[in-house]
Amino acid sequence: MPDLSTYFRTQHMPTIWCAGCGHGIVLGAVLRAIDRVGLDKDRVAIVSGIGCASRAPGYLDFNTLHTTHGRGLAFATGLKMARPDLKVIVVTGDGDLAAIGGNHLIHAARRNIDITTVCFNNEIYGMTSGQFSPMTPTTRLATTAPYGNVERNFDLCELAKAAGATFVARGAAFYARPLSNLIEQAIKHKGFSLVEAVSQCPTYYGRRNKLGAGADMLEWQRTQAVTAEKAAGMKPEELADRFVIGKFYEADAPEYVEEYDKLIQRLKGGR
Amino acid sequence: MSAERARVRLMQGNEACVEGALVAGCRFYAGYPITPSTEIAELMSERLPRLGGKFMQMEDEIGSMAAVIGASLGGLKAMTATSGPGFSLKQENIGFAALAEVPCVVVDVQRVGPSTGQPTSPAQGDVMQARWGTHGDHPAVVLCPWSVRETFDLTLRAFNLAEALRTPVILLSDEVIAHMREKVELPDPATVKVVDRPRPVVPPSEYKPYGPAPGDEGREGYVPPMAAFGEGYRYHVTGLFHGEDGFPTGNGEKSAALLRRVNAKVDTRRSELIQVARESLDDAEIAVVAYGCSARSAVRAVREARARGIKAGLLRLVTIWPFADEAIQEAARTAKVFIVPEMNLGQVAREVERALHGAARVVPLPRVDNELFTPDEILARITEEA
Ligand SMILES: Cc1ncc(C[n+]2csc(CCOP(=O)(O)OP(=O)(O)O)c2C)c(N)n1
Ligand code: SF4
Ligand SMILES: [Mg+2]
């Protein structure tokens, strides 16, 4: 096990996260991936929006940027254009990325800009104490869905893939090692990569939906997660209430910053 | 074409804005098309990559403002341009730039509002939005050109001030100035003063991204030195209230110190920041206070009034925020009436009233029918008051 403490700004800990929150496990997976890729701390920027998940950068010893709600990817886009030498990683929540930041997600994916996005998906707005998000399954309870959620939820991975992301995967906090493997691959991938990390919010989502404490919610992840390989042989009915983890898609496609640099080079040549 | 001749050109205000930005060292632009600012984006898309800079057409104005801030943190001088509806969308992130102290330039080419309003017609209705558009107490530096050449000068100045103060600076243009063509002679870029953000002189281990530079300790409204991401300083930037180390703080005293300092950056530099232009104001009994496109008609009205023997003068606001209270009070030593022609319902007239503290009478001259003032209309008002 690598010593992750070198990546933390320990003087700013403990984190704001509740006991049993899944976000710390997901963050550990991000750091393990960074460690395995062997990135130099000075060459990494971690960018986030607003939410419990988005508080992660403040605890990390990299170039860190905590922006406005939903806009992490747009800030990251400008930063990456200014500093192509930086590895830019966006950490975000399901509300931050799929609701208010949804437009930036699809356009970052469409451009295939070399940014890795890790979505800490707890299926709820944790920070504002438990309103439903675009990732909350239908019928689940939330403070703004007191009779059960009427809306349908996104499949974020399908969305990103359709929008043009060239690396798409889903993992879960319970399966932290496979999750960090996926994040590692995403970081190594050239182009826009999304890893959805199923996390848990026992404080608001778990309590309200009677899903138990953090450990119970992790147990749910353990039993309900199905690998992509296994899921391929299962019927839709068998997959109901389960979620699929693994790498779903990887493709080679022109990356935005490189393409723009080619344009600059071409113009320099007077063409 | 020789370089000399290339500098003398017939150009539009929006074009002059781009020239000013490029001379200032702008190397990143992100925007979303909107009339009457679009020419700025179009020209930037053409010019920037030729200079090794980068242009982005983002998915909306919120993302544009965000990308500009991200690029500035990466060390590039960055700007965006928009008009009314887009200016509204940028406001949250303008506040972020103000609190996180990220230099950038925002151009708002005013059109008729609120809402979609009249996209192709001139107005000056964003004066208060430029000051108070984002929530909370925040500093504002807003410059208002009245000609094509001045659009060049003030865009350059906007960058210099943004960099020097680590704050967003707004260039408040309008549809008339933006689309008007004038023959201008641009200065030789080599002779132009370009300011870059203050840089840290201490090693990373001692760097406080929001602390004073050595020698600035205890100075009210100091500007903290700024490292770019990727230069080895590894600091934290947040829109939460933060201490000198950049990390969020719930401490009320630290929060107050931050809020006071970011505002004091502007308040303690009023005399450097506030530019006005005066015409026949020394002995004026009637002062006209105008800015942007309306000032063009006002100056002719004042000249005509003088020709008729009326002691009228013009005070033109070049810096519109911070507001030129001192210049207005000074004019009130002789002037007892202040006429304020503006293409809105009286946004600056109220400020003039406030600055005067009753020292003179204010005559608002609002116009919101999408038509420019004619010099005669302003002259008629001057004559009435004489
Ligand atoms: C513009 C804006 N709208 C609303 C909010 C309030 N807000 C803060 S965090 C949040 C939801 C965050 O949810 P998510 O991204 O899922 O993160 P989590 O807290 O669940 O980790 C909301 C609505 C805000 N800060 N800014
Ligand atoms: S509110 Fe939920 S998401 Fe936020 S820290 Fe607590 S458990 Fe985690
Ligand atoms: Mg959430």
Side-chain angles (χ1 to χ4, degrees):
Chain A
M1 281 281 271
D3 178 16
L4 296 184
S5 68
T6 63
Y7 295 110
F8 284 108
R9 289 164 171 155
T10 44
Q11 70 276 27
H12 297 290
M13 303 194 40
T15 68
I16 58 154
W17 295 327
C18 309
C21 177
H23 288 355
I25 307 176
V26 175
L27 183 60
V30 173
L31 292 176
R32 239 167 248 119
I34 288 174
D35 188 71
R36 275 205 301 269
V37 180
L39 298 174
D40 172 356
K41 288 199 248 180
D42 285 332
R43 304 252 72 80
V44 177
I46 314 271
V47 183
S48 69
I50 296 291
C52 294
S54 292
R55 287 301 287 269
Y59 308 119
L60 304 178
D61 188 19
F62 301 101
N63 302 283
T64 54
L65 173 57
H66 176 224
T67 72
T68 46
H69 193 24
R71 316 300 170 196
L73 267 172
F75 279 77
T77 296
L79 177 61
K80 180 72 187 177
M81 283 292 265
R83 303 289 308 210
D85 57 317
L86 292 183
K87 177 53 75 178
V88 179
I89 300 173
V90 171
V91 294
T92 171
D94 49 304
D96 197 58
L97 187 68
I100 192 164
N103 201 27
H104 307 306
L105 167 64
I106 61 176
H107 291 280
R110 175 179 62 80
R111 292 186 188 102
N112 194 34
I113 187 165
D114 188 28
I115 293 174
T116 295
T117 300
V118 181
C119 178
F120 295 41
N121 174 22
N122 54 13
E123 304 184 345
I124 200 81
Y125 288 174
M127 176 141 278
T128 44
S129 56
Q131 300 75 29
F132 68 89
S133 92
M135 304 293 286
T136 308
T138 314
T139 74
R140 286 294 192 189
L141 297 172
T143 58
T144 46
Y147 310 110
N149 186 18
V150 178
E151 299 192 9
R152 299 194 301 168
N153 54 330
F154 267 136
D155 182 328
L156 199 58
C157 291
E158 288 291 339
L159 176 71
K161 185 184 162 197
T166 47
F167 183 100
V168 181
R170 184 185 292 118
F174 180 85
Y175 295 100
R177 268 163 197 279
L179 173 62
S180 75
N181 286 337
L182 291 169
I183 298 170
E184 181 186 348
Q185 291 177 58
I187 292 172
K188 287 179 177 160
H189 173 82
K190 179 115 220 153
F192 186 79
S193 52
L194 172 76
V195 178
E196 176 190 331
V198 174
S199 181
Q200 76 274 359
C201 172
T203 306
Y204 294 113
Y205 192 64
R207 191 181 296 162
R208 193 159 191 113
N209 286 287
K210 301 199 167 43
L211 302 173
D216 304 301
M217 295 178 81
L218 282 167
E219 174 62 14
W220 178 87
Q221 290 176 24
R222 185 183 75 78
T223 56
Q224 300 310 106
V226 184
T227 61
E229 298 76 36
K230 216 168 172 188
M234 290 168 72
K235 299 195 186 80
E237 312 87 80
E238 295 174 308
L239 281 170
D241 287 332
R242 291 171 169 266
F243 66 96
V244 185
I245 56 173
K247 184 173 99 178
F248 301 136
Y249 182 69
E250 183 163 19
D252 239 352
E255 189 277 327
Y256 179 70
V257 181
E258 282 190 356
E259 292 304 304
Y260 202 93
D261 278 333
K262 281 187 205 161
L263 168 69
I264 293 174
Q265 295 312 321
R266 202 171 78 212
L267 293 171
K268 261 192 196 152
R271 274 171 294 148
Chain B
M1 199 163 32
S2 75
E4 272 317 307
R5 276 190 40 224
R7 285 202 293 274
V8 184
R9 282 210 336 244
L10 186 68
M11 69 169 79
Q12 227 186 24
N14 279 344
E15 209 177 331
C17 173
V18 170
E19 297 298 339
L22 295 178
V23 167
C26 174
R27 289 298 177 269
F28 184 83
Y29 178 98
Y32 189 83
I34 183 166
T35 306
S37 75
T38 305
E39 294 84 4
I40 297 175
E42 290 171 345
L43 268 170
M44 280 293 190
S45 73
E46 188 187 321
R47 299 288 301 280
L48 273 173
R50 292 185 176 277
L51 296 167
K54 290 171 181 179
F55 164 88
M56 285 198 77
Q57 182 167 311
M58 290 295 285
E59 47 274 17
D60 58 30
E61 286 88 347
I62 303 174
S64 306
M65 193 64 223
V68 160
I69 297 169
S72 183
L73 282 166
L76 295 186
K77 290 188 184 178
M79 84 172 230
T80 184
T82 188
S83 183
F87 194 45
S88 294
L89 287 177
K90 288 185 197 291
Q91 294 299 333
E92 185 192 10
N93 284 338
I94 291 175
F96 182 94
L99 189 72
E101 300 181 70
V102 186
C104 54
V105 171
V106 180
V107 179
D108 174 31
V109 183
Q110 296 170 92
R111 65 188 221 182
V112 179
S115 193
T116 309
Q118 292 280 7
T120 54
S121 296
Q124 297 180 302
D126 302 352
V127 175
M128 283 297 164
Q129 187 184 23
R131 176 62 192 92
W132 296 113
T134 197
H135 59 284
D137 287 296
H138 56 273
V141 179
V142 183
L143 313 178
C144 195
W146 83 325
S147 69
V148 172
R149 169 60 201 253
E150 200 174 71
T151 305
F152 174 92
D153 294 335
L154 292 187
T155 308
L156 170 64
R157 180 167 161 80
F159 272 96
N160 285 348
L161 294 176
E163 293 285 318
L165 298 182
R166 284 190 65 176
T167 199
V169 174
I170 293 164
L171 183 86
L172 195 64
S173 182
D174 58 59
E175 193 277 334
V176 175
I177 306 301
H179 284 161
M180 179 172 76
R181 279 174 201 280
E182 285 181 323
K183 191 173 163 193
V184 293
E185 182 176 352
L186 298 183
D188 177 353
T191 66
V192 155
K193 183 174 164 233
V194 170
V195 178
D196 294 321
R197 59 195 64 174
R199 313 264 311 151
V201 290
V202 298
S205 59
E206 290 162 36
Y207 181 55
K208 282 193 179 157
Y210 297 96
D216 266 359
E217 297 87 355
R219 176 175 172 188
E220 200 192 351
Y222 68 78
V223 180
M226 181 175 181
F229 273 25
E231 289 181 336
Y233 285 84
R234 292 208 307 272
Y235 61 103
H236 187 55
V237 177
T238 177
L240 285 167
F241 275 78
H242 43 271
E244 291 185 2
D245 60 2
F247 291 98
T249 176
N251 178 306
E253 269 174 42
K254 283 189 184 175
S255 299
L258 173 63
L259 190 69
R260 288 188 189 284
R261 184 177 61 73
V262 296
N263 284 286
K265 286 194 296 185
V266 170
D267 295 341
T268 57
R269 292 174 177 84
R270 289 177 58 85
S271 56
E272 288 162 59
L273 294 174
I274 297 172
Q275 282 186 338
V276 296
R278 299 179 176 89
E279 165 118 3
S280 312
L281 204 61
D282 286 351
D283 61 344
E285 287 163 4
I286 298 173
V288 178
V289 179
Y291 53 96
C293 62
S294 300
R296 299 176 72 88
S297 310
V299 75
R300 289 178 54 191
V302 163
R303 283 175 194 158
E304 184 56 36
R306 283 274 167 178
R308 296 183 190 184
I310 302 170
K311 284 191 172 174
L314 172 69
L315 177 68
R316 182 166 71 82
L317 307 175
V318 179
T319 303
I320 203 159
W321 300 110
F323 200 72
D325 289 32
E326 297 84 350
I328 286 174
Q329 286 154 12
E330 202 185 300
R333 285 204 294 247
T334 54
K336 291 300 155 231
V337 182
F338 282 68
I339 302 174
V340 188
E342 51 186 334
M343 295 187 70
N344 59 50
L345 289 176
Q347 296 186 18
V348 164
R350 275 194 299 272
E351 284 302 302
V352 175
E353 186 112 43
R354 181 192 55 70
L356 283 169
H357 292 297
R361 192 159 52 84
V362 176
V363 179
L365 201 57
R367 173 148 212 187
V368 290
D369 60 356
N370 312 340
E371 295 293 332
L372 265 180
F373 282 99
T374 62
D376 280 350
E377 280 168 279
I378 300 172
L379 179 64
R381 200 60 211 227
I382 294 172
T383 320
E384 238 172 83
E385 298 294 339

